[in-house]
Amino acid sequence: MKKIVFLSCIFFIVSLSLQAQKNVKRMSAPERANWMIEKMQKNMTLTEQQQRELRSVFETSYTKMHSIRQNGQQDRAAMREAMGKNYEDMQAAVQKVLTPEQYKQYLTMQEQCRHQKCDGVKTVSYTHLTLPTKRIV
């Protein structure tokens, strides 16, 4: 009898944790871009022009990243290389938009996000790239 109760409890706990994992959804490119702009705005002061340019940069990059992820199911090495190139292009575009001081703050912010949760949002790391995901309640 004790074994049955114990196994039932284990089964219940495992099923709850599996259900919780199903509720994680990736943000769309515009959502992710807006999230990044909001996060940057908390750490530095961005002009309206900078916000528009960065939103465009992030949306383009995140859309391309999604495309690479969808097409890279077979060849992981090519996918990793394409993701790295996309990341470098995004970083170069961000550096053009921000002032040198803002860019330093941006890099510091990214480094902090790699090692912890960013504003309560779980992050998913790909080598040198950190992407946010959000939980559906």
Side-chain angles (χ1 to χ4, degrees), residues 71-127:
N71 298 332
Q73 298 292 334
Q74 303 301 319
D75 188 4
R76 302 291 274 173
M79 182 176 109
R80 184 170 295 196
E81 186 177 322
M83 287 283 222
K85 172 82 170 94
N86 183 49
Y87 179 77
E88 290 169 9
D89 293 345
M90 181 182 74
Q91 291 295 80
V94 168
Q95 189 171 13
K96 288 178 185 176
V97 173
L98 298 176
T99 65
E101 182 61 34
Q102 287 174 324
Y103 189 67
K104 283 181 188 176
Q105 290 174 320
Y106 169 74
L107 292 177
T108 302
M109 183 185 78
Q110 278 195 321
E111 190 60 34
Q112 289 171 346
C113 280
R114 282 191 188 102
H115 300 294
Q116 63 192 19
K117 286 186 174 184
C118 298
D119 291 340
V121 176
K122 178 185 170 195
T123 56
V124 180
S125 294
Y126 297 97
T127 61

Side-chain angles (χ1 to χ4, degrees), residues 19-78:
Q19 183 64 30
Q21 290 176 3
K22 289 180 183 178
N23 291 334
V24 175
K25 172 194 167 250
R26 289 198 185 276
M27 287 188 218
S28 68
E31 288 174 327
R32 204 175 294 156
N34 288 332
W35 175 83
M36 192 64 173
I37 298 295
E38 289 172 15
K39 178 134 183 70
M40 290 174 75
Q41 191 67 27
K42 288 180 186 176
N43 294 314
M44 64 188 87
T45 303
L46 298 173
T47 66
E48 288 295 322
Q49 177 70 21
Q50 285 177 317
Q51 288 181 35
R52 279 193 302 274
E53 290 177 21
L54 287 171
R55 187 169 285 109
S56 173
V57 167
F58 291 138
E59 282 186 29
T60 302
S61 177
Y62 295 146
T63 300
K64 188 173 181 181
M65 204 180 313
H66 178 72
S67 174
I68 292 168
R69 196 177 298 117
Q70 293 298 317
N71 298 332
Q73 298 292 334
Q74 303 301 319
D75 188 4
R76 302 291 274 173

